[in-house]
Amino acid sequence: MNEGVLGDGAVVLAFDVGGTTTKSALVDAAGRVRDLRRTPTPCSGADPAGAIAAHLATLAEAHRAVHPELVPQAAGLSVPGLVDEQTGVGIFSGNLGWRDAPLRALAEQALSLPVAFGHDVRAAGVAEQMWGAARGHRDAAVIVIGTGIASALIVDGVPIVGGGYAGEIGHVVTDPAGERCPCGAVGCLETVASAGAIARRFGRLAGRPVQGARDVLGALHAGDENARAVWTDAVDALAREIARLVTLLAPGVVVVGGGLAEAGDDLFAPLQARLDELLTFQRRPLLVRATLGEDAGLIGTAHRARQHLSAPAP
């Protein structure tokens, strides 16, 4: 973890809720991340937003018990899906199952703290631009690949929000004859190139369940042709959507993070090669791995919590 990266400021709690894992931590007055935890994200068909709020309360109690000397002044909460940061509402999450959920209000009630609320990948994008791989670039795209796929689009130094709808690259249709996505569409990029999709597609071809994309990568190294086909399809789909994004927005850098980026050269070498094949006249961006790793969203979330405290009252 990048200790002290945030610099001096208020003590805050940060919660980065993912489709599979929730990252949480206390950030002390020197900007050091303390008691970083990764816990399974609860899934409740009856009350998905309420289950998240209850989980936050449990985590906050655990963090405070370990560091009673650190008294948080605010909390940051980032979640996936469509997010209205102004109203504090989770508009939609296909992976976690809520619609129009008042997540900020629920979190404030559960934590008894002011809560800064936003999108997980936009938080990661801001962190990467301020302290990570996109530092020095005013035009950047940060793509996070995990359970789902989303992006943060930064143009002239400003994240594009679009009322919460911007950046959902995982739901661009890449295979019209493909699988149905939890969002309701058919053939979204997430159904081909997310870490979950890679594991699921390989398991179907291999006739056995696999734990995750890491297992597929292991099979690829062992010469498994099914693994090679699934991995190649994922890389090709990612390259095509990045090429479209580059054509439209011309970012100077494309940062790829999330769990799948941990594959390193096994992902980036073929992805760069395929992108080079697809691009012709476009400005060619740097294609780089996120330097803040899987914790970029947590860092950006803590930063937002501190900003929330210093924001003028409405």
Side-chain angles (χ1 to χ4, degrees):
M1 190 60 179
N2 302 269
E3 291 202 0
V5 67
L6 285 156
D8 294 344
V11 176
V12 295
L13 280 161
F15 303 96
D16 179 11
V17 177
T20 303
T21 301
T22 294
K23 303 179 189 74
S24 62
L26 270 166
V27 174
D28 68 16
R32 294 176 299 220
V33 175
R34 312 287 289 274
D35 194 30
L36 173 63
R37 297 178 180 227
R38 289 176 171 83
T39 52
T41 299
C43 184
S44 167
D47 185 12
I52 294 295
H55 190 50
L56 300 185
T58 300
L59 288 171
E61 184 177 352
H63 287 301
R64 285 167 163 151
V66 172
H67 288 287
E69 78 283 5
L70 298 178
V71 180
Q73 303 301 303
L77 170 62
S78 294
V79 300
L82 301 179
V83 171
D84 188 329
E85 295 173 356
Q86 296 300 313
T87 64
V89 171
I91 299 169
F92 172 70
S93 171
N95 290 320
L96 291 174
W98 60 61
R99 286 184 182 272
D100 298 322
L103 288 165
R104 182 170 61 203
L106 290 171
E108 288 181 336
Q109 183 177 14
L111 300 171
S112 298
L113 288 170
V115 172
F117 175 68
H119 189 267
D120 57 348
V121 176
R122 273 195 291 278
V126 168
E128 288 290 348
Q129 189 199 28
M130 293 185 69
W131 300 291
R135 189 172 183 177
H137 292 272
R138 292 188 61 79
D139 300 305
V142 179
I143 301 172
V144 176
I145 309 171
T147 305
I149 304 175
S151 66
L153 307 175
I154 299 169
V155 175
D156 200 21
V158 179
I160 297 175
V161 177
Y165 287 82
E168 289 295 329
I169 192 173
H171 296 288
V172 174
V173 174
T174 195
D175 181 6
E179 297 178 27
R180 185 166 295 278
C181 179
C183 80
V186 173
C188 291
L189 180 62
E190 280 190 11
T191 68
V192 178
S194 68
I198 288 169
R200 185 175 62 252
R201 297 179 79 229
F202 174 67
R204 190 161 56 237
L205 288 172
R208 59 181 175 83
V210 294
Q211 294 300 309
R214 190 182 300 273
D215 290 352
V216 182
L217 190 56
L220 176 64
H221 288 163
D224 188 295
E225 288 304 315
N226 287 328
R228 183 174 303 282
V230 168
W231 197 263
T232 299
D233 284 349
V235 167
D236 183 68
L238 280 170
R240 288 183 179 279
E241 300 314 328
I242 291 173
R244 291 185 177 98
L245 187 154
V246 167
T247 303
L248 290 171
L249 295 178
V253 61
V254 174
V255 179
V256 179
L260 200 65
E262 300 301 309
D265 286 346
D266 287 308
L267 173 66
F268 284 90
L271 185 59
Q272 180 71 72
R274 185 68 180 114
L275 192 58
D276 286 342
E277 291 175 352
L278 293 169
L279 297 180
T280 54
F281 68 90
Q282 298 90 336
R283 179 169 78 167
R284 289 173 181 261
L286 295 173
L287 178 67
V288 297
R289 181 175 172 178
T291 56
L292 299 180
E294 293 186 73
D295 298 320
L298 192 72
I299 293 170
T301 301
H303 172 66
R304 185 186 286 129
R306 284 180 164 185
Q307 283 187 315
H308 188 63
L309 280 173
S310 62

